[in-house]
Amino acid sequence: MTVLAHGIGGRTDLPLPSELVLQAGGFVVLVSFLAVGLAWRRPRFGTEEPEPGDRADPGPTEQLPRGLEHAQLAVRCLLLALLGYLVARAFTGNPDPDHNPAPRALYVLLWVGLVPASLVFGPVWRVVNPLRALHRGVCALLRVPPAGVREPPSGLGYWPAAIGLAVFIWLELVPDARADPAVVGAFIAGYAALITAAATVYGARWFSLADPFEVYSTLIAALSPVGLRTGAGPKSGAGPRSGAGPNSGAGPRTGAGPKTGGPGLEFRNPLRGLNRVPPAPGLVAMLAVWWGSTVFDGVSGTSWWATTSQLAAARSGLPTELLATVVLVGLIALVALSYRLATGALSATLVSTLIPIAVGYTIAHYASLLLVEGPRALTQLVDPSGAAPPLAAVPAPVLIAAVQVTAILVGHVVGVVAAHDRVLGAAENPTTGVPGKSQVLTDQRRLADEIPLVLLMILYTMIGIYLLVIA
């Protein structure tokens, strides 16, 4: 097995007219900004920010429709058993990743598979997270309340999830031994132990703030057309806002008309889902890690990187892994800094508009990996002792390239539309739309406030396409 930038597998050259695609990418983002800027004068997807109560961790009855709580617990316990099996196989099974299910289960089924699953079905990892079942069992064993024994540190927000995601990203992209089953097993065991131990102290709400995979899945699910409706009994649009917080994957606040409560599924506008993501501390860092890692993934997959990193390591005497770590951290910091500079006082308000861009980059970089390695990963779960099956048939390279470029463009266009709507919302409701900013944005300033972010999006669009079709 060839171990490349994604931990397992690699990418092939994409046969598209590079210069035309590059120019078209920037043009599409620019035209979309001009179109919505001229034709879109009022916010259409809601202007309210989630209340502090929206950030609380919901109970098990708010995860699924009533009557399915036991089924949810059974699924979580089943996945917990699978998690234990993978850890055991990682340490005691065949050290060859082609004969061990742990590496592909982590890098392909979980990390890559969560993207389409969360886009289609909502916050799936929140619903089936096996560590929530482990936490429940540990609390029962230690006679500790599931709500925890103390409150999480004030202002912590999503910082634990951002740090956890950075550790995983580093493991996936940097070390030469990233596909070693023992290394994968150690990561899974450490991740499970740390998150569960902290949740025992701070309560089940810790998962929705600190579990990197749950936060990752929940942020992706903000774009899902399917959400979980919570609550019970009829609610009037004139009263308190209905629905649970963004971490529950619930539908949007419409603010008009009666709404019949009761847990269940509902269809929603994905752009409304973005508005339900609270601008909590650490969310910019979470998205910078996510977005910056895809940029590094693209850079590290080029022949230029292979030559330059080896040359730099030879001249400096430093390990290539250390140099790669420095570049990865630098790119993440660059994404965060450029976003802050481009948005200024609107940084907290517009942070959720980075989600479709990050999703687009993730699909672009991992689509072929999921198609090629997904069948292998599933086969290894059934027969871990056998060799991985031959490569599954995948679409022609030009089709893969089209999907990848389209994912980047659609992500940026959706980001532009969402950002414009958020700026309009800030103009109408400055006290909630722009935290810490009291004045109402004037008509002349609305587009002006968006221009730096749009220029940044155009730049990253062209960089992303360049790394896919040229580098």
Side-chain angles (χ1 to χ4, degrees), residues 195-382:
I195 295 296
T196 305
T200 304
V201 176
Y202 298 119
R205 60 190 174 279
W206 184 255
F207 290 101
S208 61
L209 296 174
D211 186 329
F213 297 109
E214 182 164 313
V215 173
Y216 172 70
S217 173
T218 302
L219 291 177
I220 296 171
L223 291 169
S224 174
V226 178
L228 290 174
R229 184 180 65 247
T230 62
K235 297 193 177 186
S236 171
R241 296 176 299 139
S242 61
N247 292 327
S248 70
R253 299 178 297 270
T254 60
K259 181 176 181 179
T260 302
L265 297 177
E266 65 178 2
F267 293 98
R268 64 183 186 184
N269 187 326
L271 288 170
R272 287 187 179 273
L274 287 178
N275 281 350
R276 293 188 59 84
V277 178
L283 186 56
V284 172
M286 178 75 184
L287 288 164
V289 171
W290 182 6
W291 192 2
S293 67
T294 61
V295 177
F296 176 80
D297 183 23
V299 171
S300 62
T302 64
S303 57
W304 172 86
W305 170 259
T307 302
T308 303
S309 61
Q310 292 177 5
L311 182 60
R315 289 181 176 178
S316 64
L318 299 175
T320 55
E321 293 178 353
L322 178 59
L323 295 175
T325 300
V326 172
V327 173
L328 173 61
V329 173
L331 286 174
I332 292 172
L334 179 62
V335 168
L337 178 61
S338 61
Y339 171 76
R340 291 285 190 181
L341 293 176
T343 55
L346 292 170
S347 60
T349 300
L350 298 177
V351 63
S352 64
T353 64
L354 296 183
I355 294 175
I357 300 173
V359 170
Y361 273 106
T362 304
I363 292 174
H365 283 272
Y366 294 105
S368 60
L369 179 73
L370 183 61
L371 290 173
V372 172
E373 299 293 346
R376 287 186 170 190
L378 293 174
T379 301
Q380 283 185 320
L381 290 178
V382 178

Side-chain angles (χ1 to χ4, degrees), residues 15-420:
L16 290 181
S18 54
E19 293 184 2
L20 178 60
V21 172
L22 195 63
Q23 296 170 6
F27 180 75
V28 167
V29 177
L30 178 60
V31 169
S32 65
F33 164 66
L34 295 176
V36 298
L38 295 176
W40 203 309
R41 301 286 180 92
R42 297 293 300 274
R44 303 185 182 187
F45 306 125
T47 60
E48 303 172 36
E49 291 294 337
E51 293 177 349
D54 284 345
R55 303 178 190 181
D57 185 77
T61 59
E62 295 178 305
Q63 296 292 318
L64 291 176
R66 183 174 300 174
L68 295 182
E69 298 92 340
H70 296 297
Q72 179 188 42
L73 180 59
V75 172
R76 286 177 173 176
C77 291
L78 181 63
L79 289 179
L80 181 61
L82 177 61
L83 194 68
Y85 164 76
L86 290 173
V87 172
R89 292 293 306 181
F91 288 115
T92 63
N94 194 312
D96 183 356
D98 276 337
H99 297 77
N100 196 301
R104 284 186 173 87
L106 175 63
Y107 295 128
V108 180
L109 296 182
L110 180 58
W111 173 242
V112 183
L114 270 181
V115 178
S118 300
L119 276 176
V120 175
F121 301 110
V124 290
W125 195 247
R126 179 180 181 84
V127 174
V128 303
N129 191 344
L131 297 188
R132 286 182 176 264
L134 178 61
H135 167 253
R136 186 169 173 176
V138 170
C139 288
L141 182 63
L142 300 180
R143 297 184 179 180
V144 174
V149 295
R150 65 177 65 178
E151 291 292 323
S154 177
L156 194 61
Y158 290 107
W159 278 106
I163 295 173
L165 183 66
V167 172
F168 171 77
I169 289 295
W170 177 86
L171 175 67
E172 187 217 8
L173 297 177
V174 174
D176 293 334
R178 53 186 172 265
D180 186 333
V183 172
V184 172
F187 172 81
I188 295 175
Y191 149 72
L194 288 175
I195 295 296
T196 305
T200 304
V201 176
Y202 298 119
R205 60 190 174 279
W206 184 255
F207 290 101
S208 61
L209 296 174
D211 186 329
F213 297 109
E214 182 164 313
V215 173
Y216 172 70
S217 173
T218 302
L219 291 177
I220 296 171
L223 291 169
S224 174
V226 178
L228 290 174
R229 184 180 65 247
T230 62
K235 297 193 177 186
S236 171
R241 296 176 299 139
S242 61
N247 292 327
S248 70
R253 299 178 297 270
T254 60
K259 181 176 181 179
T260 302
L265 297 177
E266 65 178 2
F267 293 98
R268 64 183 186 184
N269 187 326
L271 288 170
R272 287 187 179 273
L274 287 178
N275 281 350
R276 293 188 59 84
V277 178
L283 186 56
V284 172
M286 178 75 184
L287 288 164
V289 171
W290 182 6
W291 192 2
S293 67
T294 61
V295 177
F296 176 80
D297 183 23
V299 171
S300 62
T302 64
S303 57
W304 172 86
W305 170 259
T307 302
T308 303
S309 61
Q310 292 177 5
L311 182 60
R315 289 181 176 178
S316 64
L318 299 175
T320 55
E321 293 178 353
L322 178 59
L323 295 175
T325 300
V326 172
V327 173
L328 173 61
V329 173
L331 286 174
I332 292 172
L334 179 62
V335 168
L337 178 61
S338 61
Y339 171 76
R340 291 285 190 181
L341 293 176
T343 55
L346 292 170
S347 60
T349 300
L350 298 177
V351 63
S352 64
T353 64
L354 296 183
I355 294 175
I357 300 173
V359 170
Y361 273 106
T362 304
I363 292 174
H365 283 272
Y366 294 105
S368 60
L369 179 73
L370 183 61
L371 290 173
V372 172
E373 299 293 346
R376 287 186 170 190
L378 293 174
T379 301
Q380 283 185 320
L381 290 178
V382 178
D383 182 19
S385 62
L391 290 177
V394 296
V398 67
L399 181 57
I400 289 291
V403 169
Q404 293 173 315
V405 172
T406 300
I408 292 179
L409 291 181
V410 170
H412 279 275
V413 170
V414 173
V416 167
V417 173
H420 180 68

